[in-house]
Amino acid sequence: MNATSTITILSTQGFTGTVTLTAQVTSGISVIFNPSGVSVLGGAATSITTVQAAKNASIGTYNIIVTGTAAAGRKVLSSSALLTAVVNPQGDFGVYAYPYSITVVAGFTNSTSIILYGKNGFNGSVTLSATVPFGFLGVMGGQNPVKLTAGATNNTSLLVSTTTSTILGKYNVTITGSSGTISHSCILAVNVVDPSPESLTLLGVLDRLPTNLTLSLRNNGNTPMTLQSYSVTDISGDMWTLANWTGPTLSPGSTSPAVISIGSSCSTCTYKGVIDLFQQFVATHTYLITITTKLNTQFSFTVVF
């Protein structure tokens, strides 16, 4: 950390000559004069003074005595002045991942946030990099570099991707933020696991309309699940089918509503059964709803309307 000041040497009683500047300083502080020998030819002359604080310098106020000396015949002339320097904490920043531990299913992706925060008035850009262990593991960052202003917090995303060839197990990804000579790192723990069989649960019926049912479905597996088609069968075996359903995609552990339409509410559905017998849901009747996922896993649920 550096700071500058201007030292002015004034000539009195017609003094001319070279004034040599020195400083009495405390450990951890150094002073550089430019020039250190100032030629005074009457009037005034100046020297630029740079005060440097070492990294281990204590925070606080320092009194620096600046002395100028010169020879005048057989005499040595000197004069001193007090220079006050204040050493403040160096601007700094911190970096961490939130969450700091994620699970990634082999062949899929997951993400976390990289949080950065300024300390001691830090104001600048932080460049992020990631050190990834070998094992078919990839990372892709969002905003980089990340701009930080004094007292502020900012963040960017980090996407961790795997392939079906990724070796199962635990990995440590080192995230490093750098700005000038300042550098800090954090560890993101990544656990790569094998996909488990798809698991879908019916939690309940959210809404009932003559040609619509809204189901509450939960993904109990560890992989994202996309619902691709469904069929609805009544007690007589009459069936409505939607083969190209734009159903919801459920993240692992998440719950989502899914609208099941028949009859006049589903123009792209196909009907198989007695003509006009099953055109809407009937109160107290039981229906079998079969849902097929993108991976061709079928789940059947019995619903009483």
Side-chain angles (χ1 to χ4, degrees):
M1 296 179 287
N2 300 336
T4 60
S5 180
T6 301
I7 302 296
T8 301
I9 300 94
L10 298 174
S11 173
T12 60
Q13 298 179 3
F15 170 81
T16 61
T18 299
V19 177
T20 301
L21 298 173
T22 58
Q24 296 179 17
V25 295
T26 305
S27 175
I29 300 294
S30 61
V31 178
I32 300 173
F33 299 102
N34 184 24
S36 58
V38 182
S39 296
V40 181
L41 301 174
T46 60
S47 175
I48 302 300
T49 305
T50 300
V51 180
Q52 297 179 331
K55 290 184 178 181
N56 60 351
S58 299
I59 306 304
T61 301
Y62 292 80
N63 291 324
I64 302 170
I65 299 176
V66 178
T67 301
T69 58
R74 296 182 178 181
K75 295 182 179 180
V76 176
L77 306 177
S78 68
S79 181
S80 298
L82 180 64
L83 173 64
T84 301
V86 179
V87 177
N88 294 315
Q90 183 180 15
D92 202 353
F93 65 89
V95 56
Y96 65 93
Y98 183 82
Y100 64 87
S101 177
I102 59 174
T103 297
V104 185
V105 178
F108 291 85
T109 62
N110 200 355
S111 64
T112 189
S113 293
I114 304 302
I115 313 296
L116 297 106
Y117 57 96
K119 299 186 293 184
N120 303 330
F122 178 87
N123 190 336
S125 294
V126 179
T127 300
L128 295 170
S129 61
T131 302
V132 184
F134 175 78
F136 302 99
L137 198 68
V139 297
M140 180 180 297
Q143 174 191 357
N144 192 20
V146 179
K147 175 68 176 178
L148 278 180
T149 55
T153 299
N154 205 345
N155 68 86
T156 186
S157 62
L158 183 70
L159 184 71
V160 179
S161 60
T162 63
T163 71
T164 54
S165 300
T166 300
I167 301 171
L168 305 182
K170 296 182 178 180
Y171 300 85
N172 284 335
V173 177
T174 302
I175 312 300
T176 301
S178 300
S179 180
T181 60
I182 307 174
S183 178
H184 295 290
S185 297
C186 67
I187 298 295
L188 170 66
V190 178
N191 186 24
V192 180
V193 299
D194 203 14
S196 62
E198 291 184 312
S199 175
L200 189 66
T201 301
L202 173 63
L203 299 182
V205 180
L206 302 176
D207 198 11
R208 293 176 172 85
L209 295 174
T211 54
N212 287 307
L213 281 175
T214 302
L215 308 181
S216 176
L217 300 173
R218 178 178 176 81
N219 180 357
N220 294 314
N222 66 1
T223 61
M225 183 185 302
T226 299
L227 308 186
Q228 184 169 267
S229 65
Y230 67 78
S231 65
V232 184
T233 307
D234 67 3
I235 55 177
S236 299
D238 305 299
M239 179 187 298
W240 286 97
T241 301
L242 180 57
N244 296 309
W245 181 31
T246 308
T249 296
L250 288 78
S251 300
S254 69
T255 301
S256 175
V259 178
I260 306 295
S261 300
I262 63 169
S264 60
S265 293
C266 187
S267 60
T268 56
C269 286
T270 58
Y271 177 70
K272 180 181 178 181
V274 178
I275 297 176
D276 294 333
L277 182 62
F278 178 26
Q279 295 300 311
Q280 63 181 30
F281 296 109
V282 178
T284 73
H285 282 207
T286 300
Y287 300 92
L288 179 67
I289 299 176
T290 300
I291 294 175
T292 304
T293 70
K294 190 175 181 179
L295 297 181
N296 292 319
T297 307
Q298 287 191 339
F299 297 93
S300 295
F301 307 107
T302 299
V303 174
V304 178
F305 189 82

